[in-house]
Amino acid sequence: NGEFIYSKRKSPYLLIILLALLVSSLACQVSYSLPFDSARASQPTASPQFIIKTATLTSLQQLPDPEDIQLIESRDEVLVALYKRVNPSVVLIQTLSDYGQGAGSGFLYDNLGHIVTNYHVIEGAKDIEVHFPTGLKTRGDVVATDLDSDLAVVKVDPVPAGISPLPLGDSDLLQVGQTVIAIGNPFGLDSTMTVGIVSAKGRTLASFRESPDGGVFSAGDLIQTDAAINPGNSGGPLLNLNGEVVGINRAIQTRSSLYETPANSGVAFTISSNIIRRVVPSLIEKGSYDYPYLGVVAKEELTLLEQEALGITHPVGAYVIQATTNGPAQKAGVRGGTINSSIPGLPLGGDLIIAVDGQPVRVFADLLAYLMKQKSPGESITLTIIRDNQQQEVQITLEKRP
């Protein structure tokens, strides 16, 4: 089984215990106690030549005017120019906690000195240093954190002269196969750039916040990429070829033994920029962000065997295993399963959600991403469900995640 690796290392001994016992954990921050592999890299081959439009930006806060667009006939030139423009705004975040030293990444969000990173990068930190590529080292103060999305805002003062905030792109416009770039500090190696593609969209991971039923809430709308992401990249930006932030690197899925450092396997997950766009301004202004709450425990996707066991003929949808007691969904009449089926943990009788506000729900991730990006507490949604092989609609007023 693969492991989701987070960042915060407790200690070298605890790391060994956790890797031995946990089927699933997360990490992208590096601890200085980790071993370093100095394996030789193979000689790169020549890059293919192609024509691509890219922007010459005078300010990273604004998109270019049409007249500023120029044709560049080399992939290398595009990437070199992007690195020179973006890297000064990407920082190394060094932390000191009860578990020792750790390091992650972040980037300058605005001219007021707000740095965006992951919550798990600064979790439990008693001291935070922010290192700019210019050589400036300054202390950072935590403004706010969001355990649901694994985001945090750190404030620094001063900001080095001549460094501009990185603009947010529209992650909804990303397409699978599109080139993306990560800049960060893997294994403490500052200002490292890696290149890959968008491997998939709409992934989900567990959040850091417990739900009323004793589980954890889900974080949705994550981007999967094969760009090399390693411990220490957490909190750093994932960028498109225009130098816009389309995500913040959060976690990697990896296989590791008791004595190996978790490393890139070509499967990494980043928080989408459209989640950042909703959450971060609220963290800066109010110190928190309220997520809409539906109150269901749903199966991400049903296999054919599971469909047959439940007697479901509709091929797609999010199956409701449980409607949380006194939650918005239960109050509106949404049903979870109540009768044991031939598959343990998958009870019969639950509703199958196939659409939300007219938008198709193929898997639970579709529903979660729609709620996180489009809705707020107090707003209403219409779920299209299948119950007893009959299609019907249910009106629900969303609440705030408890």
Side-chain angles (χ1 to χ4, degrees):
N1 291 328
E3 295 175 348
F4 288 111
I5 304 301
Y6 270 146
S7 71
K8 187 58 67 177
R9 300 288 196 271
K10 306 302 183 185
S11 71
Y13 304 104
L14 182 57
L15 172 63
I16 293 176
I17 295 171
L18 287 175
L19 288 177
L21 297 179
L22 297 184
V23 175
S24 180
S25 62
L26 288 178
C28 267
Q29 182 187 2
V30 64
S31 168
Y32 291 122
S33 63
L34 294 176
F36 175 73
D37 182 2
S38 58
R40 183 187 300 273
S42 60
Q43 183 67 26
T45 57
S47 300
Q49 299 297 306
F50 67 108
I51 297 176
I52 184 169
K53 288 185 177 182
T54 190
T56 302
L57 298 181
T58 56
S59 170
L60 284 173
Q61 293 175 278
Q62 298 178 354
L63 294 176
D65 294 325
E67 57 265 26
D68 291 331
I69 302 296
Q70 61 178 334
L71 290 178
I72 295 182
E73 298 183 352
S74 167
R75 180 177 186 265
D76 289 347
E77 290 182 48
V78 173
L79 296 176
V80 168
L82 184 148
Y83 180 82
K84 290 180 178 178
R85 184 158 41 92
V86 171
N87 183 61
S89 303
V90 181
V91 300
L92 168 69
I93 297 177
Q94 181 175 299
T95 62
L96 181 64
S97 71
D98 290 338
Y99 305 109
Q101 285 186 317
S105 305
F107 68 91
L108 184 63
Y109 175 79
D110 60 22
N111 286 315
L112 299 176
H114 291 114
I115 302 290
V116 176
T117 185
N118 286 140
Y119 160 73
H120 76 258
V121 168
I122 54 88
E123 179 186 13
K126 295 183 175 180
D127 185 77
I128 298 174
E129 291 186 19
V130 177
H131 299 185
F132 285 86
T134 60
L136 173 70
K137 296 178 177 65
T138 182
R139 279 195 161 76
D141 296 316
V142 176
V143 174
T145 61
D146 179 45
L147 278 66
D148 290 274
S149 61
D150 191 18
L151 287 172
V153 178
V154 174
K155 183 78 159 33
V156 298
D157 186 20
V159 176
I163 295 183
S164 300
L166 297 185
L168 295 181
D170 186 347
S171 54
D172 285 350
L173 299 181
L174 285 177
Q175 298 187 52
V176 174
Q178 184 173 335
T179 298
V180 285
I181 300 97
I183 299 179
N185 309 287
F187 303 108
L189 299 171
D190 63 299
S191 299
T192 296
M193 177 180 183
T194 56
V195 180
I197 63 169
V198 176
S199 302
K201 296 176 63 179
R203 299 303 195 196
T204 62
L205 288 177
S207 76
F208 284 84
R209 196 154 71 86
E210 292 187 4
S211 61
D213 60 6
V216 292
F217 286 108
S218 296
D221 199 45
L222 284 100
I223 301 161
Q224 181 184 330
T225 179
D226 70 347
I229 307 296
N230 285 290
N233 274 116
S234 275
L238 188 74
L239 306 130
N240 60 22
L241 287 175
N242 283 332
E244 299 167 329
V245 176
V246 293
I248 291 180
N249 300 313
R250 176 184 169 182
I252 57 176
Q253 185 169 2
T254 187
R255 295 176 183 271
S256 60
S257 74
L258 295 179
Y259 307 104
E260 292 177 337
T261 301
N264 174 263
S265 63
V267 180
F269 302 94
T270 72
I271 306 160
S272 73
S273 60
N274 285 347
I275 295 296
I276 300 166
R277 180 175 281 109
R278 288 177 69 91
V279 173
V280 169
S282 181
L283 293 182
I284 294 172
E285 294 169 11
K286 302 191 307 179
S288 63
Y289 178 78
D290 294 330
Y291 286 85
Y293 177 55
L294 180 60
V296 297
V297 177
K299 188 78 166 61
E300 170 66 18
E301 185 174 4
L302 294 173
T303 66
L304 180 59
L305 182 65
E306 289 169 337
Q307 290 178 1
E308 292 170 346
L310 295 172
I312 292 176
T313 57
H314 197 277
V316 295
Y319 180 73
V320 181
I321 296 175
Q322 176 186 347
T324 305
T325 303
N326 294 323
Q330 189 192 62
K331 292 176 184 177
V334 174
R335 296 180 185 174
T338 57
I339 305 170
N340 291 335
S341 71
S342 59
I343 299 178
L346 192 65
L348 292 161
D351 292 334
L352 183 71
I353 302 170
I354 61 171
V356 54
D357 290 341
Q359 303 293 316
V361 172
R362 185 180 62 85
V363 293
F364 175 69
D366 297 336
L367 173 62
L368 182 62
Y370 177 82
L371 294 178
M372 292 184 69
K373 292 190 298 182
Q374 304 294 334
K375 292 296 178 179
S376 299
E379 296 182 343
S380 296
I381 59 170
T382 300
L383 292 184
T384 303
I385 65 171
I386 293 180
R387 178 184 297 166
D388 300 328
N389 292 320
Q390 298 294 318
Q391 182 172 311
Q392 57 183 282
E393 292 186 343
V394 180
Q395 303 286 330
I396 301 174
T397 299
L398 299 169
E399 298 176 7
K400 180 175 69 173
R401 278 187 175 180

